[in-house]
Amino acid sequence: SFLLDLPSDLKQRGLHPAFHAHLLRPHVPNDDRRFPGRQLKQLAEIGQLEGWSISRIRSHSGQGTAALFEVEYSTGDCVWLPYHEVSRLESLGQYLEALDVPGIQHL
């Protein structure tokens, strides 16, 4: 995985800066003469966070607060995140409840 230095507007929209290497491609700047209207600020869909909301936590690896969690987004994409990044998610409570675990320390 790689941590990218994202523009501030993408950070404010909640885009996570960690990406797996297979998702990254070399950047080719847009040729606005050939493809007008494709600048970041011109794309209306970029601000719609509904497509990237967390659907559920699928599984985990490890124990307690050292565990990693497989998070599935509503788009179907999955990513492994450490406990400190999922600790405040409603999905974590639902996941622990489904496992019949009273708290993260018992995982």
Side-chain angles (χ1 to χ4, degrees):
S1 292
F2 290 88
L3 283 176
L4 302 180
D5 185 21
L6 297 174
S8 61
D9 58 331
L10 292 180
K11 290 178 186 177
Q12 290 173 350
R13 291 182 175 140
L15 188 65
H16 196 278
F19 291 87
H20 191 273
H22 83 276
L23 296 174
L24 299 177
R25 303 284 182 268
H27 172 68
V28 178
N30 181 53
D31 183 353
D32 204 40
R33 289 177 290 138
R34 293 178 62 201
F35 306 104
R38 294 190 182 180
Q39 299 299 324
L40 183 62
K41 61 186 172 196
Q42 295 169 322
L43 297 175
E45 321 71 68
I46 197 84
Q48 296 175 353
L49 294 177
E50 300 83 35
W52 288 97
S53 62
I54 292 176
S55 175
R56 65 186 176 125
I57 295 178
R58 295 175 52 163
S59 63
H60 74 279
S61 175
Q63 297 177 339
T65 58
L68 294 175
F69 295 88
E70 185 180 17
V71 175
E72 180 181 334
Y73 291 96
S74 58
T75 59
D77 295 319
C78 294
V79 64
W80 286 89
L81 297 174
Y83 170 72
H84 74 272
E85 291 191 33
V86 300
S87 62
R88 297 174 192 233
L89 296 178
E90 182 180 333
S91 301
L92 179 62
Q94 294 169 351
Y95 179 73
L96 295 175
E97 184 178 332
L99 292 177
D100 198 26
V101 175
I104 191 68
Q105 64 276 12
H106 300 288
L107 185 62

